Amino acid sequence: MTKIAARGLHSLFLKSDGSLWDMGDNSNGQLGDGTFNNTNRPEQIVATNITSIAAGFYHSLFLKGGGSLWAMGDNFYGELGDGTFNNTNRPEQIVATNVTAIAAGDFHSLFLESNGSLWAMGNNGNGQLGDGTTDNGNFYTNHPEQIVATNVTMIAAGGNHSLFLKSDGSLWAMGDNSYGGLGDGTFNNTNRPEQIVASNVTAIAVGYDHSLFLKSDGSLWVMGYNVDGQLGDGTYNNTNQPEQIVASNVTAIAAGEYHSLFLKSDGSLWVMGDNVDGQLGDGTFNNTNRPVQIVAGNVTAIAAGFGHSLLLKNDGSLWVMGDNVNGQLGDGTHNNTNQPELIVAGIPGYNQIFGQMFGGSNMRLSFVGIAGTNYALDRSFNLASSNWVPQLTNFAGAGGVLVYTNAPNTATNNFWRIRSVP
């Protein structure tokens, strides 16, 4: 695994061979597999040459080598930018070359070209495109329009607002500001980019109504909606100005609809906010308004959807937690989980077993094997080989991961083994 993306009810990831994989909700064709069927297992969409991915609520974007922009899924507001309002369940090329970065909000899209120009398309009802209009009452545009001519280096898109950085490290914002997500000290929407911070901003992330950013000293700052504690300041109060949450050592950030994730320089994963579906991965379903450490180290990338979260570890393995009603966790079930679950193995990976408490005295066993191989789970009350009793068999998925849910019972002190079978 090299990159991950999530926003609504689906997930995307890239492998090191440049292949694009996805799982979850496909009601609008956002998985790009030519159907409108959800899937609860990762499926390959493009075999090679993908360099970047972004997930909106019901649409997806990706870049190919050479800078071509491709899109699929919902197009009700024109967020695909193809000049129509028709959904598509197959990737279609929107821009042929020179695109360097992409971002997908709930129903709008942003991209950068190699000259530093910012382009936007889709829903503009709150001014989130930043073009100075709300499109004469139509509130959208279905083709890319240039917003800023040069010097833009990073973009982020949320529910109804957008952020971007310029080459001087300044932070700019536009769109919905009902809860202070723009951080300008007001609650007034704006349909033109306005400068929020003058310099030293290095990373940005946008949720539905809240925003996160990092400064060059590694400090984490937040603003906006906080009813679920997603700002992590110890309160449930909204704020319309940037507020510092962590003073140093933060290296990456991600914002779900109502929850937030960040990484520290030691590879530890921290979370805060809404946890109704277990998206914080702390083993509970309780919200928290303070950062909580979930993984102690080795995390290299994070992504957050509506009610689920993804993380990559330094061995290239993909882990997930949270809402799984549409199969967005990719574990072959539709069951939510409130702890990180292994979906695709890293390197080396083979013959690893991970145990995870799953409520009561039950556990979930995750085994990393060879993709497509049939494995059996056996139980014994002692280690004498003649006493092994087969329990069930299953096939390892495309990533080599096999999950046995609620199988071992720790209260009986059983021994368990996993073996390949014909």
Side-chain angles (χ1 to χ4, degrees):
M1 300 299 100
T2 60
K3 293 182 180 179
I4 48 178
R7 175 129 203 112
L9 307 172
H10 68 294
S11 307
L12 311 176
F13 63 87
L14 296 186
K15 287 190 174 183
S16 56
D17 60 3
S19 60
L20 168 62
W21 298 70
D22 56 24
M23 58 255 195
D25 181 36
N26 196 31
S27 55
N28 292 271
Q30 58 264 48
L31 300 187
D33 65 358
T35 78
F36 295 98
N37 303 320
N38 297 356
T39 179
N40 61 9
R41 286 288 191 190
E43 60 176 343
Q44 186 182 94
I45 303 303
V46 183
T48 186
N49 205 32
I50 308 302
T51 60
S52 187
I53 49 177
F57 206 95
Y58 293 119
H59 72 291
S60 305
L61 310 176
F62 64 85
L63 297 184
K64 283 189 174 182
S68 62
L69 169 62
W70 298 71
M72 58 248 195
D74 180 50
N75 200 28
F76 183 84
Y77 294 99
E79 56 264 46
L80 301 187
D82 65 355
T84 78
F85 296 102
N86 302 322
N87 296 358
T88 179
N89 61 11
R90 290 286 191 191
E92 62 174 332
Q93 187 179 95
I94 306 302
V95 181
T97 187
N98 292 325
V99 179
T100 58
I102 49 177
D106 278 9
F107 301 102
H108 70 291
S109 304
L110 310 176
F111 65 88
L112 299 184
E113 291 196 342
S114 55
N115 61 2
S117 60
L118 167 62
W119 299 72
M121 57 258 196
N123 187 19
N124 196 32
N126 293 276
Q128 57 264 51
L129 301 189
D131 65 357
T133 77
T134 50
D135 299 309
N136 298 317
N138 291 323
F139 305 126
Y140 40 71
T141 179
N142 62 6
H143 61 276
E145 58 177 335
Q146 188 180 94
I147 306 302
V148 181
T150 189
N151 293 325
V152 180
T153 59
M154 187 177 295
I155 48 178
N160 294 297
H161 70 294
S162 306
L163 305 181
F164 64 88
L165 301 184
K166 287 191 174 182
S167 55
D168 60 1
S170 60
L171 169 64
W172 298 70
M174 58 254 195
D176 183 35
N177 198 29
S178 303
Y179 298 95
L182 302 188
D184 66 355
T186 78
F187 295 100
N188 303 321
N189 296 358
T190 178
N191 59 12
R192 286 288 190 189
E194 61 174 336
Q195 187 180 98
I196 306 302
V197 181
S199 63
N200 294 322
V201 180
T202 59
I204 48 179
V206 185
Y208 188 79
D209 284 308
H210 73 291
S211 306
L212 314 176
F213 66 88
L214 299 184
K215 286 190 174 181
S216 55
D217 60 2
S219 59
L220 169 62
W221 299 71
V222 300
M223 56 254 195
Y225 192 64
N226 196 33
V227 171
D228 295 292
Q230 55 266 55
L231 300 188
D233 66 355
T235 79
Y236 295 98
N237 303 321
N238 303 339
T239 179
N240 61 8
Q241 290 184 309
E243 173 182 12
Q244 186 182 95
I245 303 301
V246 182
S248 63
N249 294 321
V250 180
T251 59
I253 49 178
E257 294 293 284
Y258 304 109
H259 69 292
S260 306
L261 314 177
F262 65 88
L263 299 184
K264 287 190 174 181
S265 55
D266 60 2
S268 60
L269 168 63
W270 299 71
V271 301
M272 57 252 195
D274 182 35
N275 196 32
V276 67
D277 295 304
Q279 58 264 51
L280 300 188
D282 65 355
T284 78
F285 295 98
N286 303 321
N287 296 0
T288 178
N289 62 9
R290 287 288 189 189
V292 174
Q293 182 178 288
I294 303 302
V295 182
N298 298 323
V299 181
T300 59
I302 47 178
F306 183 86
H308 70 293
S309 305
L310 313 178
L311 65 100
L312 295 184
K313 289 191 175 181
N314 58 8
D315 63 355
S317 59
L318 170 64
W319 300 70
V320 300
M321 56 254 195
D323 181 30
N324 196 31
V325 172
N326 293 275
Q328 56 265 51
L329 300 188
D331 66 356
T333 78
H334 294 281
N335 303 321
N336 297 358
T337 180
N338 61 10
Q339 290 183 309
E341 175 185 3
L342 177 67
I343 300 301
V344 181
I347 301 298
Y350 291 133
N351 298 319
Q352 295 181 10
I353 299 177
F354 304 88
Q356 175 185 345
M357 295 305 299
F358 200 64
S361 58
N362 293 317
M363 291 183 69
R364 171 192 284 133
L365 288 182
S366 300
F367 174 70
V368 180
I370 300 173
T373 300
N374 196 24
Y375 291 92
L377 178 68
D378 298 341
R379 183 190 69 184
S380 178
F381 292 104
N382 58 65
L383 292 179
S385 59
S386 60
N387 292 322
W388 288 107
V389 179
Q391 300 297 300
L392 68 163
T393 62
N394 209 340
F395 284 93
V401 178
L402 179 67
V403 177
Y404 296 106
T405 301
N406 284 341
N409 188 322
T410 56
T412 62
N413 296 314
N414 292 336
F415 296 95
W416 298 87
R417 74 177 183 184
I418 296 173
R419 58 185 174 86
S420 61
V421 295

